[in-house]
Amino acid sequence: MPKTILVTGAAGGVAGFLRHEFGQVYALVLSDLRIIDDLGSNERFQAADLGDIDALRALMPGVDAVVHLGGQSVEGPWDAVLGRNIVGAYNLFEAARLEGVNRVVFASSCHAVGFYRLDETISADAYFKPDSRYGVSKVFGEALGALYADKYGFDVLSIRIGNVAERPVDRRRLTSWLSPRDLAQLVRIGIETPRIGHQVVFGMSRNTGSCWDNAAAYRLGYAPQDDSMDHADTIDLSPPDPSDPAQVYQGGPFVLAETGGDPWKR
Ligand code: 15L
């Protein structure tokens, strides 16, 4: 019998890549507020609001692991971040605990550490430097992962996802690009690796010259197949403007959220 995996935020772009890459490997329970109607034979849809813990509990029966992609995926107003990513993440972990599901792959983000500079190399245990309210909410989600692992025996992989796309789109994303098949490999590591407790890895491909040292993922057996530098000829590599924070910091435009920049620019 294939494992049954609950995917929250299943109508979003990252989930779309994941569904495609997973194919028939797992039975998938897809949840979102937006209805998904292009279901495969191994998929079913069940709507749930992350603000409604009873609706989240109702998703859990028969589930072996949760891939939590749901919530706010970019910077936004505090109310949205609070409701979707702070309350929502808590409700998700708590619903899982109450229903006896003890494995979560948490979609964290590089924006938990976005105020490190692009010219410094960090590993997954670097101290937090969130670049936005959104980044703070991802730190909170990672903290929940640690709490539920240590207190309740959960296995949680927090993946600080960079940018999932068919190919890297700009100089910053040469560091953070995550190809769809490498995304699927990392999520499978989170689903399948026994007794991981809580661990944090970067969601990036094998990107030559990246400012992230992903040794933590390699220790878990991650063997990424793609390298952003194979696409470098499509990208403007002119030197960054040192007076533009969006070009200096790993978080790019997210670092400007409260000072007039455009945090929604991708
Ligand atoms: C993220 O965390 C977002 O979810 C994604 O949409 C991209 O904006 C990405 O960061 C990025 O920094 O490129």
Side-chain angles (χ1 to χ4, degrees), residues 65-195:
V66 182
V67 179
H68 182 43
L69 305 174
Q72 179 79 16
S73 66
V74 289
E75 178 63 316
W78 171 239
D79 283 351
V81 174
L82 174 65
R84 296 172 190 161
N85 288 10
I86 304 284
V87 177
Y90 174 78
N91 284 346
L92 187 281
F93 275 90
E94 190 58 5
R97 183 186 73 80
L98 290 167
E99 298 299 327
V101 178
N102 61 6
R103 184 173 285 266
V104 176
V105 178
F106 173 63
S108 184
S109 169
C110 59
H111 297 285
V113 287
F115 257 120
Y116 285 96
R117 299 169 57 96
L118 276 161
D119 59 8
E120 58 189 327
T121 301
I122 59 168
S123 57
D125 58 7
Y127 195 69
F128 304 112
K129 273 183 175 287
D131 57 31
S132 50
R133 295 175 288 265
Y134 166 69
V136 170
S137 76
K138 293 300 182 179
V139 173
F140 177 78
E142 291 186 13
L144 281 177
L147 175 68
Y148 277 71
D150 291 338
K151 187 167 279 190
Y152 303 118
F154 272 42
D155 289 302
V156 181
L157 185 65
S158 290
I159 304 176
R160 285 187 188 152
I161 296 177
N163 187 235
V164 185
E166 295 290 355
R167 54 189 57 79
V169 293
D170 57 20
R171 195 176 57 85
R172 180 173 72 90
R173 259 68 76 94
L174 286 175
T175 269
S176 61
W177 179 58
L178 177 60
S179 72
R181 62 181 174 173
D182 288 341
L183 162 78
Q185 189 193 146
L186 263 182
V187 173
R188 284 196 73 173
I189 286 170
I191 292 170
E192 302 292 347
T193 309
R195 292 181 299 281

Side-chain angles (χ1 to χ4, degrees), residues 14-117:
V14 172
F17 285 123
L18 202 56
R19 290 170 65 197
H20 181 77
E21 294 294 327
F22 274 174
Q24 300 284 323
V25 173
Y26 298 117
L28 298 180
V29 179
L30 304 177
S31 187
D32 204 295
L33 286 175
R34 287 172 287 169
I35 293 170
I36 299 170
D37 48 22
D38 64 332
L39 295 174
S41 56
N42 60 323
E43 297 176 330
R44 69 179 176 84
F45 175 75
Q46 190 170 335
D49 186 331
L50 292 170
D52 181 349
I53 192 166
D54 292 331
L56 294 176
R57 289 184 70 169
L59 298 171
M60 299 291 172
V63 164
D64 297 294
V66 182
V67 179
H68 182 43
L69 305 174
Q72 179 79 16
S73 66
V74 289
E75 178 63 316
W78 171 239
D79 283 351
V81 174
L82 174 65
R84 296 172 190 161
N85 288 10
I86 304 284
V87 177
Y90 174 78
N91 284 346
L92 187 281
F93 275 90
E94 190 58 5
R97 183 186 73 80
L98 290 167
E99 298 299 327
V101 178
N102 61 6
R103 184 173 285 266
V104 176
V105 178
F106 173 63
S108 184
S109 169
C110 59
H111 297 285
V113 287
F115 257 120
Y116 285 96
R117 299 169 57 96

